[in-house]
Amino acid sequence: MAEQTPATAASQPTELWVERTGTRAYTGRSSRGAEVLIASQGVPGAFTPGELLKIALAGCSGLSADFSIARKLGDSFDATIRVAGDADRENELYPQLDETFQLDLSELDQEARERLLVTVQRAIDKACTVGRTLEAGTKVTLSFDIEA
């Protein structure tokens, strides 16, 4: 096997999987060494799958907007993106997710704030893969690899 350099490792797709760690508890893993605990609602220290979906959306929005904001406010700006949305349990889906991007723009005049917010919205609309996927819908397939 050839040795991987950072450049070749970055060009290979990240492998993702979950492993069962207990009753209704899993650990999500990536080939880059990341881990996240996934479990039922109320399990301390773990996210539910729906919470991870919401965090993925907020994180994607933040990453998509980061360059535009940093260019205007500098690299050390603070931002929090809150995301919420109740599940429709009858249909087992989230009919609406609401994001709130919290930024301190007090150092900008009103015109500069408005220009920045338009730029940020455009960046998110263009580059947030998670948001774009949720808005468009996506086909999901499932297969089984059974040991017999």
Side-chain angles (χ1 to χ4, degrees):
M1 181 186 258
E3 183 178 331
Q4 290 187 358
T5 64
T8 59
S11 65
Q12 295 177 354
T14 301
E15 187 178 343
L16 302 170
W17 68 98
V18 298
E19 295 174 353
R20 187 171 190 265
T21 56
T23 303
R24 295 186 48 78
Y26 289 77
T27 298
R29 301 184 192 281
S30 83
S31 57
R32 294 192 324 265
E35 293 184 352
V36 63
L37 302 179
I38 307 164
S40 299
Q41 180 74 34
V43 174
F47 292 103
T48 68
E51 290 167 342
L52 288 173
L53 175 76
K54 294 174 192 177
I55 286 173
L57 175 62
C60 188
S61 292
L63 290 170
S64 298
D66 205 78
F67 179 75
S68 297
I69 299 168
R71 194 172 61 225
K72 195 68 168 172
L73 300 181
D75 284 334
S76 63
F77 72 91
D78 291 327
T80 301
I81 305 161
R82 299 192 184 281
V83 61
D86 293 329
D88 171 350
R89 290 297 170 207
E90 185 175 317
N91 295 302
E92 289 300 330
L93 58 81
Y94 291 96
Q96 181 171 330
L97 297 176
D98 301 306
E99 291 181 279
T100 303
F101 209 128
Q102 297 172 312
L103 284 169
D104 179 358
L105 301 181
S106 60
E107 66 184 52
L108 303 178
D109 63 37
Q110 186 62 32
E111 187 177 317
R113 286 180 200 166
E114 289 173 13
R115 279 195 314 268
L116 177 59
L117 294 177
V118 167
T119 300
V120 166
Q121 183 68 60
R122 284 182 183 152
I124 293 169
D125 290 346
K126 180 180 178 184
C128 180
T129 307
V130 175
R132 292 171 58 88
T133 300
L134 289 170
E135 288 176 357
T138 193
K139 179 181 176 182
V140 177
T141 63
L142 173 66
S143 61
F144 295 91
D145 183 2
I146 306 298
E147 296 179 25

